[in-house]
Amino acid sequence: MNPRSDMLAMLPVGLVASVENETGAQVTAIKPRGGGGASREGAELVLAWPDGREQHAYMNYDVHRAGAGDDAAFLREAAIIRALSGPLADAGVRVAPFIAAIPEQRALLGGFVGGEANYNTLATSEERFTVARDFMTQLARLHAIEPTASPIDGMGVVERPHAAIRNRLAALRLRNSGDGWDPLIHLSLDWLEANIPADTVDPVIVHGDAGPANFLFENGRVTILLDWELVHYGDPMADLAMLCLRMLFQPFVPLPQAFEAYRAAGGKPLDLQRLRYWRLLFQTGFAGRARLDDPNAPPPPNLGMNLVYSTIHRRVLAEALAEMAGGAPFAVSLPEVPEGRRGRSFGIALDDIRDVIAPRCDDQQATVKAKGLARLIKWWRAIERYEPALLDAERREINEALGACYPDHASAWRAYCEAVRTGSLDVSTAVRLCNAHMSREAALMADAMGSLAAIGFAPLE
């Protein structure tokens, strides 16, 4: 039995050697921890140097090594943490003390910083606001750094916010092409391209994924900002817009309180119209269905929950697009139709999962999978019972809008998509029909979503 070999086996082959070569220290202890995302993992390490110095460290790394994702994003993340914990430390933005970056394995090593990530653990409104205020102060301090006066080596060229917008739009347009073309994404991109805000804002350092769960806190104070993979130069309203998106699933204080804390801390002037623009742009990126519809894509880890989140993102995007285009959300009432002939079998399967399978699952992953399967069964039950009537209603709406008489929903939907693609249908009608389509899809998923069915953007004012 070799304790050193057993310890090395906790991390991908060669990673410990890379850490030791880069730092000049020996790794004397490893404690695996959960990482972030589908391929990110983490571990606490103890580093010991020949002079007797020791340091408790934390490392994020990619299980697929470099090349599996955005290597440029990793380099920007390493660059910003190196700068904020070094030459820009006086800015007061709290990050882990930078130790080393290993691009070949996309491993980032920093000093360990303690704290709680789950904002739900805060029991009182006073505690919640205290932490939220400190977080907004951290954003204000980040945005106060002048990138043209203090360029960060490794972050790339300082560009105007317009450049970031156009690059993002081009990438989304490319992604929404070929067999995976989606009228919802197409309409949103058309609106976004036609309504790019005036380029009057000086670029700042944008965290890119700011919000609850991406910072740690302790004793009413933010101890560290996390997850800098999306850091870039751009519009400060982009960070406030991402906060809105993260709040779809993670609670925070009311946005007017958060914005006032940001203003009081010296944040950039609030521009709600630009914030709404960025919110729609980010939501467009989240609302694609490629992972679900592409037969060559790996299956999602939990299809039931993936469908729930996908449906929420798409419904919220459709509602936001309708609002930005001057319309209103489409209200759906499920038709009064009897239960389908398979209704009893769906009920029996759900009872089995709830009463027999889930209580006997000792494996956490199996329990999560069982709950995801229950959501799928509820969705299939709604499809059998309600979808025919909903599709027929949509067919009639499309026929009226196009002045046609398609006999079935499939042919009507193809005609609608072609009209959107070619621009032969006026935008307001196209957006209204798309909003109605997504509202019907969400209605079919409502029972499976449970309390999540009511999720929407929090009020800005």
Side-chain angles (χ1 to χ4, degrees), residues 334-362:
L334 291 175
E336 292 291 337
V337 294
E339 188 174 64
R341 65 186 180 88
R342 301 176 186 85
R344 184 168 182 270
S345 64
F346 288 132
I348 292 171
L350 288 169
D351 289 344
D352 284 345
I353 291 174
R354 184 192 63 227
D355 300 331
V356 180
I357 297 173
R360 300 183 187 184
C361 283
D362 295 327

Short mmCIF file of all heavy atoms in Angstrom, two decimals, residues 334-362:
data_model
loop_
_atom_site.label_atom_id
_atom_site.label_comp_id
_atom_site.label_asym_id
_atom_site.label_seq_id
_atom_site.Cartn_x
_atom_site.Cartn_y
_atom_site.Cartn_z
N LEU A 334 -55.49 25.60 -20.20
CA LEU A 334 -55.58 24.24 -20.71
C LEU A 334 -57.04 23.90 -21.02
O LEU A 334 -57.93 24.23 -20.24
CB LEU A 334 -55.00 23.26 -19.69
CG LEU A 334 -53.48 23.34 -19.50
CD1 LEU A 334 -53.04 22.42 -18.37
CD2 LEU A 334 -52.74 23.00 -20.78
N PRO A 335 -57.28 23.26 -22.15
CA PRO A 335 -58.67 22.98 -22.54
C PRO A 335 -59.33 21.95 -21.63
O PRO A 335 -58.66 21.14 -20.98
CB PRO A 335 -58.51 22.43 -23.97
CG PRO A 335 -57.12 21.88 -24.01
CD PRO A 335 -56.30 22.76 -23.13
N GLU A 336 -60.65 22.00 -21.59
CA GLU A 336 -61.42 21.04 -20.81
C GLU A 336 -61.58 19.76 -21.64
O GLU A 336 -62.49 19.64 -22.46
CB GLU A 336 -62.79 21.62 -20.46
CG GLU A 336 -62.75 22.77 -19.48
CD GLU A 336 -62.32 22.34 -18.08
OE1 GLU A 336 -62.49 21.14 -17.76
OE2 GLU A 336 -61.82 23.18 -17.33
N VAL A 337 -60.67 18.83 -21.45
CA VAL A 337 -60.73 17.56 -22.18
C VAL A 337 -60.57 16.42 -21.17
O VAL A 337 -59.89 16.58 -20.15
CB VAL A 337 -59.64 17.47 -23.26
CG1 VAL A 337 -59.89 18.50 -24.36
CG2 VAL A 337 -58.25 17.67 -22.65
N PRO A 338 -61.17 15.28 -21.44
CA PRO A 338 -61.04 14.17 -20.49
C PRO A 338 -59.63 13.60 -20.49
O PRO A 338 -58.85 13.80 -21.44
CB PRO A 338 -62.05 13.14 -21.02
CG PRO A 338 -62.19 13.47 -22.47
CD PRO A 338 -62.04 14.96 -22.58
N GLU A 339 -59.30 12.90 -19.42
CA GLU A 339 -57.99 12.25 -19.33
C GLU A 339 -57.83 11.24 -20.45
O GLU A 339 -58.78 10.56 -20.84
CB GLU A 339 -57.86 11.56 -17.98
CG GLU A 339 -56.46 11.03 -17.70
CD GLU A 339 -56.34 10.49 -16.28
OE1 GLU A 339 -57.04 9.50 -15.97
OE2 GLU A 339 -55.58 11.08 -15.50
N GLY A 340 -56.61 11.14 -20.99
CA GLY A 340 -56.35 10.21 -22.08
C GLY A 340 -56.44 8.76 -21.63
O GLY A 340 -56.46 8.46 -20.42
N ARG A 341 -56.45 7.86 -22.60
CA ARG A 341 -56.65 6.45 -22.26
C ARG A 341 -55.46 5.85 -21.52
O ARG A 341 -55.59 4.78 -20.92
CB ARG A 341 -56.94 5.65 -23.54
CG ARG A 341 -55.82 5.59 -24.55
CD ARG A 341 -56.29 4.90 -25.83
NE ARG A 341 -55.27 4.82 -26.84
CZ ARG A 341 -54.40 3.82 -26.94
NH1 ARG A 341 -54.42 2.84 -26.05
NH2 ARG A 341 -53.49 3.80 -27.89
N ARG A 342 -54.33 6.53 -21.56
CA ARG A 342 -53.16 6.04 -20.81
C ARG A 342 -53.03 6.73 -19.46
O ARG A 342 -52.05 6.54 -18.75
CB ARG A 342 -51.88 6.25 -21.62
CG ARG A 342 -51.87 5.56 -22.97
CD ARG A 342 -50.60 5.88 -23.75
NE ARG A 342 -50.64 5.35 -25.09
CZ ARG A 342 -51.20 5.96 -26.14
NH1 ARG A 342 -51.78 7.14 -25.97
NH2 ARG A 342 -51.19 5.40 -27.33
N GLY A 343 -54.01 7.56 -19.11
CA GLY A 343 -53.92 8.34 -17.88
C GLY A 343 -53.69 7.50 -16.64
O GLY A 343 -52.88 7.84 -15.78
N ARG A 344 -54.41 6.37 -16.54
CA ARG A 344 -54.25 5.52 -15.35
C ARG A 344 -52.85 4.95 -15.26
O ARG A 344 -52.27 4.87 -14.17
CB ARG A 344 -55.29 4.40 -15.36
CG ARG A 344 -55.26 3.53 -14.10
CD ARG A 344 -56.49 2.63 -14.01
NE ARG A 344 -56.47 1.85 -12.79
CZ ARG A 344 -55.91 0.63 -12.69
NH1 ARG A 344 -55.38 0.06 -13.76
NH2 ARG A 344 -55.94 -0.01 -11.52
N SER A 345 -52.28 4.55 -16.40
CA SER A 345 -50.92 3.97 -16.36
C SER A 345 -49.90 5.02 -15.94
O SER A 345 -48.94 4.71 -15.22
CB SER A 345 -50.56 3.38 -17.73
OG SER A 345 -50.50 4.39 -18.72
N PHE A 346 -50.07 6.28 -16.40
CA PHE A 346 -49.17 7.34 -15.95
C PHE A 346 -49.27 7.50 -14.43
O PHE A 346 -48.25 7.66 -13.74
CB PHE A 346 -49.54 8.66 -16.63
CG PHE A 346 -49.20 8.73 -18.09
CD1 PHE A 346 -50.14 9.17 -19.01
CD2 PHE A 346 -47.95 8.35 -18.56
CE1 PHE A 346 -49.84 9.25 -20.36
CE2 PHE A 346 -47.64 8.43 -19.90
CZ PHE A 346 -48.59 8.87 -20.81
N GLY A 347 -50.49 7.48 -13.90
CA GLY A 347 -50.67 7.63 -12.47
C GLY A 347 -50.03 6.52 -11.67
O GLY A 347 -49.41 6.75 -10.62
N ILE A 348 -50.17 5.27 -12.15
CA ILE A 348 -49.55 4.14 -11.46
C ILE A 348 -48.04 4.28 -11.44
O ILE A 348 -47.38 4.04 -10.41
CB ILE A 348 -49.98 2.82 -12.13
CG1 ILE A 348 -51.47 2.57 -11.90
CG2 ILE A 348 -49.15 1.65 -11.60
CD1 ILE A 348 -52.02 1.41 -12.70
N ALA A 349 -47.46 4.67 -12.59
CA ALA A 349 -46.00 4.83 -12.66
C ALA A 349 -45.51 5.91 -11.69
O ALA A 349 -44.49 5.73 -11.00
CB ALA A 349 -45.59 5.17 -14.09
N LEU A 350 -46.25 7.02 -11.61
CA LEU A 350 -45.86 8.09 -10.69
C LEU A 350 -45.96 7.64 -9.24
O LEU A 350 -45.10 7.96 -8.41
CB LEU A 350 -46.74 9.32 -10.92
CG LEU A 350 -46.47 10.09 -12.22
CD1 LEU A 350 -47.58 11.12 -12.46
CD2 LEU A 350 -45.12 10.79 -12.15
N ASP A 351 -47.01 6.87 -8.93
CA ASP A 351 -47.14 6.34 -7.56
C ASP A 351 -45.98 5.42 -7.22
O ASP A 351 -45.46 5.44 -6.09
CB ASP A 351 -48.47 5.61 -7.41
CG ASP A 351 -49.67 6.54 -7.41
OD1 ASP A 351 -49.46 7.76 -7.21
OD2 ASP A 351 -50.80 6.05 -7.61
N ASP A 352 -45.58 4.56 -8.17
CA ASP A 352 -44.46 3.64 -7.94
C ASP A 352 -43.17 4.40 -7.65
O ASP A 352 -42.40 4.04 -6.75
CB ASP A 352 -44.27 2.73 -9.15
CG ASP A 352 -45.30 1.62 -9.23
OD1 ASP A 352 -45.99 1.39 -8.21
OD2 ASP A 352 -45.41 0.99 -10.30
N ILE A 353 -42.93 5.45 -8.41
CA ILE A 353 -41.71 6.23 -8.20
C ILE A 353 -41.74 6.90 -6.84
O ILE A 353 -40.75 6.86 -6.08
CB ILE A 353 -41.54 7.29 -9.32
CG1 ILE A 353 -41.23 6.59 -10.65
CG2 ILE A 353 -40.42 8.26 -8.97
CD1 ILE A 353 -41.20 7.54 -11.83
N ARG A 354 -42.89 7.49 -6.48
CA ARG A 354 -42.99 8.22 -5.21
C ARG A 354 -42.99 7.29 -4.00
O ARG A 354 -42.30 7.55 -3.00
CB ARG A 354 -44.27 9.07 -5.21
CG ARG A 354 -44.42 9.95 -3.97
CD ARG A 354 -45.82 10.54 -3.88
NE ARG A 354 -46.82 9.48 -3.74
CZ ARG A 354 -47.93 9.44 -4.46
NH1 ARG A 354 -48.18 10.35 -5.38
NH2 ARG A 354 -48.81 8.45 -4.27
N ASP A 355 -43.74 6.19 -4.08
CA ASP A 355 -43.98 5.37 -2.89
C ASP A 355 -43.04 4.18 -2.75
O ASP A 355 -42.87 3.67 -1.63
CB ASP A 355 -45.42 4.85 -2.90
CG ASP A 355 -46.44 5.98 -2.90
OD1 ASP A 355 -46.12 7.06 -2.35
OD2 ASP A 355 -47.55 5.78 -3.46
N VAL A 356 -42.46 3.72 -3.84
CA VAL A 356 -41.65 2.50 -3.79
C VAL A 356 -40.19 2.76 -4.17
O VAL A 356 -39.26 2.43 -3.43
CB VAL A 356 -42.25 1.41 -4.71
CG1 VAL A 356 -41.39 0.15 -4.65
CG2 VAL A 356 -43.69 1.11 -4.33
N ILE A 357 -39.99 3.37 -5.34
CA ILE A 357 -38.62 3.50 -5.86
C ILE A 357 -37.83 4.53 -5.08
O ILE A 357 -36.74 4.24 -4.56
CB ILE A 357 -38.67 3.84 -7.35
CG1 ILE A 357 -39.33 2.71 -8.14
CG2 ILE A 357 -37.26 4.11 -7.88
CD1 ILE A 357 -39.56 3.02 -9.60
N ALA A 358 -38.33 5.76 -4.99
CA ALA A 358 -37.57 6.83 -4.33
C ALA A 358 -37.23 6.52 -2.87
O ALA A 358 -36.09 6.73 -2.44
CB ALA A 358 -38.33 8.15 -4.43
N PRO A 359 -38.19 5.99 -2.06
CA PRO A 359 -37.83 5.71 -0.66
C PRO A 359 -36.76 4.65 -0.49
O PRO A 359 -36.10 4.59 0.55
CB PRO A 359 -39.16 5.24 -0.05
CG PRO A 359 -40.22 5.79 -0.92
CD PRO A 359 -39.63 5.78 -2.30
N ARG A 360 -36.57 3.81 -1.51
CA ARG A 360 -35.58 2.74 -1.39
C ARG A 360 -34.25 3.07 -2.07
O ARG A 360 -33.38 2.21 -2.15
CB ARG A 360 -36.16 1.45 -1.98
CG ARG A 360 -37.43 0.98 -1.27
CD ARG A 360 -37.94 -0.33 -1.81
NE ARG A 360 -39.23 -0.68 -1.23
CZ ARG A 360 -39.89 -1.81 -1.47
NH1 ARG A 360 -39.37 -2.71 -2.29
NH2 ARG A 360 -41.06 -2.04 -0.89
N CYS A 361 -34.14 4.28 -2.57
CA CYS A 361 -32.89 4.68 -3.22
C CYS A 361 -31.90 5.18 -2.17
O CYS A 361 -32.11 6.23 -1.56
CB CYS A 361 -33.16 5.78 -4.25
SG CYS A 361 -33.87 5.20 -5.79
N ASP A 362 -30.83 4.42 -1.97
CA ASP A 362 -29.77 4.88 -1.08
C ASP A 362 -28.76 5.75 -1.82
O ASP A 362 -27.99 6.48 -1.21
CB ASP A 362 -29.05 3.67 -0.47
CG ASP A 362 -29.97 2.87 0.44
OD1 ASP A 362 -30.85 3.49 1.06
OD2 ASP A 362 -29.83 1.63 0.49
#
